[in-house]
Amino acid sequence: MSMKQTQPTYTELDTFVANGIKTSVLRFTLPLDYSAPSGETVPVVAKIVNTHRRGSAGVRMEQTPSFSLKDDVGRNASNLVVYLQGGPGFPSAFPTGPTDPSFLKPLLDRNYTVVLLDQRGTGLSGPIDTELLLSKGTTQQQFEFVKHFRADSIVHDCDRIREVLLGPAGRWSVLGQSFGGFTAVTYASFYPQTLRHVMLTGGLPPLTVSSVDEVYHATFERTRERNLAYYSRFPGDVEKVHTIVRHLAENVVVLPNGGVLSVDRFRGLGLKFGGSGGTLGLHILVTTMHAELENGKLSYATKTTLMNYLRIETNIHYFLFHEAIYLHGKGCRSGWAADRVLAATPADPTGPFMFTGEIVTRSMLESHKELQPLAPLAEYIHDYDQWSCIYHLDTLRTLTWETLPIVASVYLDDQYVDYELGRRNKAIFEYKPVVTNRLFHIGLAAASEHVIDQLHSILDYGDYM
């Protein structure tokens, strides 16, 4: 795109009513690069969700629903919350009712108007894929485009959308899950005066680390614990997994899109350990694979499941920027940190096969078909060391409970976002945590009412009950 713009605009893509909620899908036209706001633009989509109101005698107020800035935002202007999805590179859900996504209901019950943001490059906001990136030209040109899809640009988008919906002086709240929590802290450091309160779920960023390696050393330990829990629950899988690994080492298993199920790609399935039911899900997949290999080969259905299991190829952004989300300012370089930490963590040849967790590695460039053309760009990103600042630390240090309440649902055994690294943030900014070992990383999805209730108990009373 090469359109010029001076003011943000939006287009209503759709409005529909389903199962008691009204959703309006709005597309905003925003700068690709906020340092050059009159240059290239990108689309950013937000879904505005309200409990649907009825007219008198149960008659719906709208026969053909449409978005009304006055009715859908203005009537509830003091109670908007923008939801930032985890990732990077994953869209917000398309709501089908008050319990899908599950966190909608406890928010709508508290009279929130919920703004579900498709962060730039995801969902309906011009999703980043291999074809799009290759169309940008050289590796350098691809990078000059994609470097504007980090947390700093996302919060600039948020604040432009806030201003369009609520006016320059309007304020709203933010709920951030996982990477969305990292981005919510970025938002608090960039625009604290525009926020009423901040809610983080599994999303305290590791602001005190000196390298990505430090993050991996912590999360690798959690992943090791989850491996042991998996094999303790399903001891028969020790030998089943070894059988699968031997088969993959001795045979080239081609997936439906031309990618390869290598040993390293199979090892990455441990990413699922971090969510509720993750060990059971892997057990079912391992049992299926083992049974099929006893008959000589994996079925097309199982190969398709494996191809899509981690959604790497449908979320290119995640692969490219997973390590870059930890890089804050010039002089920071990732350099394929996971490969370094893996090399320094030798496997026990006498023990069970150990799955890895939330990492990206060079080997993915070979085993994933959609990543192969992007190898030069991936190498460029991992070697780059002139990153923009994604946190204004001096601003965070000034925040207090009185100026901007920040609450965080924190999970002791979180495989993705380490508890201890997040706890160190107390030295930088004030927040009040709710800590539990009863939920994993996706606690917001698994126990929405409970998590939202606990966060609001602190917000409502200013302290723990």
Side-chain angles (χ1 to χ4, degrees), residues 15-26 47-54 60 62 66-77 79-81 95 97-98 104-105 107-116 165:
T15 295
F16 63 93
V17 173
N19 300 315
I21 64 169
K22 178 182 178 182
T23 301
S24 292
V25 184
L26 307 183
K47 303 151 190 167
I48 316 297
V49 185
N50 282 292
T51 300
H52 184 53
R53 295 184 299 163
R54 295 175 180 268
R60 292 191 185 279
E62 301 160 293
S66 61
F67 175 70
S68 165
L69 187 62
K70 177 181 177 182
D71 291 335
D72 296 318
V73 173
R75 70 177 178 84
N76 203 28
N79 212 26
L80 261 67
V81 60
L104 273 181
K105 187 176 188 303
L107 294 175
L108 293 172
D109 285 349
R110 286 173 174 77
N111 196 37
Y112 281 109
T113 293
V114 183
V115 181
L116 302 173
L165 296 179

Side-chain angles (χ1 to χ4, degrees), residues 218-436:
T219 57
F220 273 35
E221 177 58 24
R222 300 289 81 73
T223 303
R224 184 189 71 83
E225 294 168 358
R226 297 307 304 148
N227 271 275
L228 297 178
Y230 166 61
Y231 287 119
S232 175
R233 185 179 183 188
F234 304 109
D237 283 10
V238 173
E239 186 53 42
K240 289 178 184 176
V241 168
H242 277 309
T243 299
I244 294 168
V245 169
R246 283 194 297 270
H247 179 85
L248 298 180
E250 296 168 1
N251 300 272
V252 178
V253 178
V254 180
L255 299 174
N257 72 344
V260 175
L261 182 62
S262 64
V263 172
D264 280 349
R265 184 165 180 171
F266 178 70
R267 191 190 314 273
L269 301 187
L271 175 64
K272 290 290 189 176
F273 286 157
S276 301
T279 55
L280 177 58
L282 185 58
H283 168 67
I284 293 170
L285 182 57
V286 163
T287 299
T288 302
M289 294 176 69
H290 186 263
E292 290 182 352
L293 288 176
E294 285 186 329
N295 292 325
K297 68 180 184 67
L298 297 177
S299 68
Y300 180 86
T302 297
K303 288 180 180 179
T304 301
T305 297
L306 288 160
M307 180 180 71
N308 297 322
Y309 201 65
L310 301 181
R311 298 192 291 169
I312 297 294
E313 290 174 297
T314 55
N315 293 277
I316 299 293
H317 191 172
Y318 175 88
F319 170 77
L320 293 176
F321 277 89
H322 173 67
E323 292 192 354
I325 67 174
Y326 300 107
L327 302 178
H328 170 62
K330 295 181 179 180
C332 299
R333 175 179 170 273
S334 62
W336 298 102
D339 283 332
R340 274 196 307 277
V341 177
L342 280 171
T345 313
D348 178 2
T350 65
F353 179 84
M354 300 298 280
F355 292 92
T356 54
E358 189 172 37
I359 65 172
V360 294
T361 64
R362 269 198 178 99
S363 69
M364 291 180 175
L365 292 168
E366 299 172 0
S367 61
H368 290 73
K369 185 71 172 179
E370 284 295 305
L371 300 183
Q372 291 171 5
L374 299 177
L377 176 60
E379 295 289 352
Y380 191 102
I381 288 172
H382 281 267
D383 196 49
Y384 189 71
D385 66 355
Q386 297 297 303
W387 295 101
S388 58
C389 290
I390 50 176
Y391 304 104
H392 291 170
L393 296 179
D394 288 344
T395 300
L396 286 176
R397 290 187 177 97
T398 68
L399 299 181
T400 66
W401 184 257
E402 289 70 30
T403 58
L404 180 59
I406 301 176
V407 292
S409 185
V410 180
Y411 314 120
L412 276 173
D413 299 316
D414 197 324
Q415 183 187 353
Y416 307 147
V417 179
D418 186 72
Y419 165 72
E420 287 294 338
L421 295 183
R423 191 172 64 87
R424 295 182 196 171
N425 290 328
K426 281 285 190 178
I428 298 176
F429 67 95
E430 182 179 351
Y431 69 92
K432 295 186 178 183
V434 178
V435 183
T436 181

Side-chain angles (χ1 to χ4, degrees), residues 119-155:
Q119 298 163 25
R120 57 169 54 198
T122 75
L124 299 180
S125 298
I128 291 174
D129 58 22
T130 300
E131 182 180 5
L132 172 66
L133 292 174
L134 293 179
S135 74
K136 297 299 177 181
T138 66
T139 299
Q140 176 70 34
Q141 290 169 323
Q142 294 167 24
F143 178 75
E144 289 302 319
F145 171 77
V146 81
K147 74 178 183 181
H148 298 296
F149 288 76
R150 293 213 305 156
D152 49 350
S153 297
I154 293 169
V155 301

